Amino acid sequence: MPAKRKFGPRYKVPFRRRREGKTDYRARYRMLLSQRIRAVVRKSRRNIIIQFVKAELKGDKTLSTTRSLELRKFGWNFSGGNIPAAYLTGYLAGLKALKAGINEAILDIGPQRSTRGGRLYAALKGMIDAGLDIPYSENVLPSLNRIQGQHIASYAEKLMNEDIELYNKRFSRYIRDGLDPTNIVSVFMTVLSNIAKEFNVESPSFEEESEEGFEEE
């Protein structure tokens, strides 16, 4: 009687970073095949981090890193994790990349949720406005009003007039730090100008446009 053949389990344990939701290996493989520098954008509730990464045989090589915390030296004291901060971080990262000789890249958002008009694409818009060549679709970008923080200013003003207790609760950190959220658009434009001056370039122009109802992250 022939011996019974034994088969091991067919289930293959995913790589650790895939199990943790940190790396989409299929998407990563496609990007590596392109042999182009990756503009890696990662976000948390309070921070935006942008790195320009080049794949090499020995592993990834980080060419440039920019964090939203760096915006403070240009006058930004509001949250480092909102849409205006994401754009400003992208703009600063783009100018730093150009100075380092990087002219083009592809966007790498990893396994993060892709939200139309969200922070990831605000950072992308900033890099594009800095002068980088990055493939993108116009319909994923946030409106110019949201990039400047007009939605934050309008919400703060509404609460101030209708529910001061909720205003004090929602904007407690800004109030504690002596910041006026209704003035965020003006601060945004000043910081944008300060970043442009640092690199001796003209800051992007923001023309008036009607507000669009993009989903907030």
Side-chain angles (χ1 to χ4, degrees):
M1 181 177 179
K4 292 184 179 180
R5 300 180 64 186
K6 295 183 179 180
F7 296 90
R10 295 187 178 185
Y11 177 73
K12 184 178 180 181
V13 178
F15 292 119
R16 178 181 58 82
R17 291 187 63 85
R18 183 68 188 93
R19 296 198 309 270
E20 296 174 350
K22 294 181 178 179
T23 301
D24 183 336
Y25 283 96
R26 289 185 180 179
R28 175 181 169 81
Y29 180 66
R30 290 194 297 269
M31 283 187 269
L32 293 180
L33 287 179
S34 73
Q35 297 184 333
R36 299 178 68 181
I37 293 174
R38 300 175 355 250
V40 181
V41 182
R42 298 293 183 264
K43 62 180 173 62
S44 66
R45 192 165 65 90
R46 296 184 179 181
N47 296 288
I48 304 293
I49 301 176
I50 300 174
Q51 293 182 312
F52 288 88
V53 178
K54 182 179 181 181
E56 297 184 346
L57 291 177
K58 294 182 179 180
D60 286 351
K61 180 179 180 182
T62 301
L63 306 176
S64 175
T65 300
T66 304
R67 296 177 172 82
S68 54
L69 184 63
E70 297 176 43
L71 299 177
R72 293 190 179 278
K73 70 178 182 180
F74 296 101
W76 183 258
N77 291 314
F78 291 98
S79 171
N82 58 24
I83 287 178
Y87 174 89
L88 292 170
T89 305
Y91 184 64
L92 176 59
L95 292 177
K96 287 168 65 175
L98 288 170
K99 188 175 181 179
I102 302 170
N103 298 307
E104 60 180 12
I106 55 176
L107 182 66
D108 179 354
I109 65 172
Q112 300 171 106
R113 185 178 69 171
S114 175
T115 303
R116 186 172 70 99
R119 291 177 291 165
L120 298 176
Y121 297 115
L124 168 64
K125 173 64 172 170
M127 289 186 280
I128 292 167
D129 286 353
L132 287 178
D133 180 10
I134 303 177
Y136 72 100
S137 174
E138 286 281 352
N139 63 10
V140 303
L141 302 178
S143 67
L144 297 183
N145 286 334
R146 293 180 74 80
I147 284 175
Q148 296 176 86
Q150 183 60 59
H151 60 298
I152 298 173
S154 297
Y155 181 59
E157 186 174 359
K158 179 181 179 181
L159 290 185
M160 287 179 68
N161 294 328
E162 299 178 2
D163 193 336
I164 192 63
E165 290 186 5
L166 183 57
Y167 168 81
N168 290 334
K169 180 179 179 180
R170 292 288 174 87
F171 296 98
S172 60
R173 188 181 73 80
Y174 290 167
I175 296 172
R176 182 194 66 202
D177 294 341
L179 301 174
D180 181 2
T182 64
N183 195 40
I184 193 171
V185 176
S186 176
V187 175
F188 171 90
M189 296 305 297
T190 298
V191 172
L192 183 64
S193 177
N194 290 341
I195 294 173
K197 289 178 182 177
E198 178 76 13
F199 291 86
N200 197 29
V201 298
E202 290 189 11
S203 59
S205 62
F206 282 77
E207 298 179 357
E208 293 291 332
E209 64 172 26
S210 59
E211 177 67 13
E212 300 179 41
F214 287 121
E215 177 185 349
E216 177 69 276
E217 284 189 89

